[in-house]
Amino acid sequence: MTREEAWDLLTQYNKEPFHLEHAQTVENTMKYFAWKLGYGDEEELWGIAGLLHDLDFEQFPQEHCIKEQEIMRENGVDERIIHAAASHGYGLTVDIKPEHEMEKVLYAVDELTGLIGAVVLMRPSKSVQDLELKSVKKKFKTKSFAAGCSRDVIEKGAEMLGWSLDDLIQQTLDALKTFQD
């Protein structure tokens, strides 16, 4: 599946600008990590996994990470992408555990990019470029801030990767700074 085909599939099931923007943010973050972690030859695969990870969320929120597997299989999506997308709901909507490094990164950065995006909106600059780790950590500790972003999932994701929380946050900030204002 090409990126263009993945985008066409995504936009069949998602119309909300917020969901489409989130999909692209996770896509680009995944591509960054593919290169950073030595999977540059799989950059497109990692990106498509990020792009399609919430394929079913807008239309089938009660079947999130379940319905998308069916949709993806019907559309000939690579099983590695299907497993990665489904596993980002591990412990929440499915029992499919992230196993490959790509899946662990997706699990960790999905919620984290949402939290960082909320922090950016609160900043005078409205930019990730001048955002520092300490600012994200402060908001991370405030449970009422961006309450829909699961801190537990972010922490479990860092643990799965064998990284400290600070390292995960900093690397995700570094990723976002490569493609966002």
Side-chain angles (χ1 to χ4, degrees):
M1 168 170 275
T2 66
R3 198 275 180 193
E4 184 178 334
E5 291 167 334
W7 179 256
D8 289 345
L9 181 60
L10 178 68
T11 55
Q12 269 184 268
Y13 291 91
N14 293 269
K15 306 296 181 203
E16 292 292 325
F18 175 82
H19 293 147
L20 296 173
E21 184 178 315
H22 173 67
Q24 292 174 92
T25 297
V26 176
E27 171 193 20
N28 288 320
T29 302
M30 291 297 293
K31 289 168 76 172
Y32 172 90
F33 276 107
W35 277 105
K36 177 138 178 85
L37 299 174
Y39 298 93
D41 59 328
E42 294 183 348
E43 175 188 14
E44 195 75 9
L45 180 82
W46 283 50
I48 291 172
L51 188 67
L52 294 179
H53 79 282
D54 280 343
L55 177 65
D56 61 1
F57 186 75
E58 192 173 309
Q59 289 189 20
F60 306 99
Q62 301 306 317
E63 297 177 82
H64 183 41
C65 297
I66 299 166
K67 185 72 174 172
E68 68 186 14
Q69 295 175 65
E70 174 188 325
I71 295 167
M72 287 186 202
R73 283 191 180 100
E74 288 172 356
N75 285 276
V77 175
D78 187 307
E79 281 296 325
R80 294 173 295 173
I81 294 169
I82 296 169
H83 195 275
S87 72
H88 96 278
Y90 177 66
L92 303 169
T93 59
V94 295
D95 291 328
I96 300 169
K97 186 174 184 176
E99 295 166 1
H100 185 277
E101 200 162 19
M102 174 178 70
E103 297 166 354
K104 293 173 184 178
V105 170
L106 179 58
Y107 179 84
V109 303
D110 175 37
E111 295 289 316
L112 183 53
T113 57
L115 179 77
I116 292 171
V119 175
V120 166
L121 292 174
M122 302 299 296
R123 299 182 61 72
S125 68
K126 304 282 191 243
S127 173
V128 72
Q129 296 302 324
D130 60 353
L131 183 57
E132 296 179 4
L133 172 63
K134 65 182 179 182
S135 298
V136 176
K137 289 277 302 227
K138 183 176 178 182
K139 294 296 188 184
F140 184 91
K141 292 176 184 173
T142 307
K143 303 297 182 199
S144 61
F145 178 79
C149 296
S150 172
R151 275 72 167 167
D152 187 47
V153 166
I154 296 167
E155 289 172 334
K156 283 180 184 173
E159 187 179 306
M160 282 181 193
L161 288 161
W163 300 350
S164 70
L165 180 61
D166 284 6
D167 194 33
L168 174 63
I169 294 170
Q170 186 60 60
Q171 288 193 60
T172 304
L173 280 170
D174 293 345
L176 294 171
K177 288 177 182 183
T178 65
F179 64 87
Q180 288 187 344
D181 290 330

